[in-house]
Amino acid sequence: MPVRKANAQWQGDLKSGKGDMSLESGAYEGQFSFKTRFEDGTGTNPEELIGAAHAGCFSMQFSAMLAEAGHTPDLVKTEAKVHFSVDDTPTIERIELITRGKVPGMDDAEFKDVAAKAKDACPVSRLYKGAEISLDAELQG
């Protein structure tokens, strides 16, 4: 499997600085700042992108598992609400996945059962349970 890449750069201090993020594929490039992360500014923030990644990954996993259960979905739509707090240390406290689907021939109980299994199987859900994060840091002059 290929290694996927994204890039970010930040200039300045936390409150008055600014940055931009981009995806290697070119599908997204945008700005972020203190205001977009901690207040209401124009641009994005890491939590919004984390939510998009989680909603997308879960929707794909859920669709695959529905099809494996014999119910190919017409639609799976997922919203991820990323709860971010800044009490002592900025922390992503939790993520709520809210999913709705149109799945012919499936009852609500089975839909919920497969959804719960998909949440546990989703690679992004598993990442958030804990993953090794390596770091290569180098000061450049």
Side-chain angles (χ1 to χ4, degrees):
M1 290 295 297
V3 174
R4 306 300 183 190
K5 299 176 197 165
N7 295 292
Q9 93 174 7
W10 186 265
Q11 297 171 318
D13 65 18
L14 177 62
K15 287 198 173 185
S16 63
K18 63 181 180 178
D20 60 71
M21 293 185 262
S22 63
L23 306 180
E24 179 185 38
S25 67
Y28 173 80
E29 183 174 334
Q31 64 181 9
F32 68 115
S33 66
F34 181 87
K35 287 187 180 229
T36 65
R37 191 166 197 195
F38 299 100
E39 298 171 0
D40 251 347
T42 301
T44 191
N45 55 69
E47 292 72 32
E48 187 174 61
L49 297 173
I50 286 168
H54 202 174
C57 184
F58 172 80
S59 292
M60 290 178 76
Q61 182 70 50
F62 189 23
S63 294
M65 292 176 76
L66 287 166
E68 287 172 8
H71 301 283
T72 300
D74 288 341
L75 173 73
V76 170
K77 183 177 180 180
T78 305
E79 176 183 23
K81 292 183 179 182
V82 179
H83 294 261
F84 182 62
S85 73
V86 290
D87 294 333
D88 292 327
T89 301
T91 303
I92 295 173
E93 294 180 336
R94 65 189 169 96
I95 299 173
E96 292 176 68
L97 295 174
I98 301 156
T99 194
R100 303 293 181 260
K102 293 181 182 176
V103 188
M106 179 171 252
D107 65 33
D108 189 59
E110 186 179 7
F111 182 83
K112 288 178 180 176
D113 181 59
V114 176
K117 291 174 182 170
K119 180 183 73 72
D120 292 340
C122 166
V124 174
S125 293
R126 291 194 330 263
L127 169 68
Y128 295 154
K129 287 184 180 180
E132 176 185 340
I133 299 173
S134 64
L135 174 65
D136 177 356
E138 178 183 311
L139 180 64
Q140 296 181 330

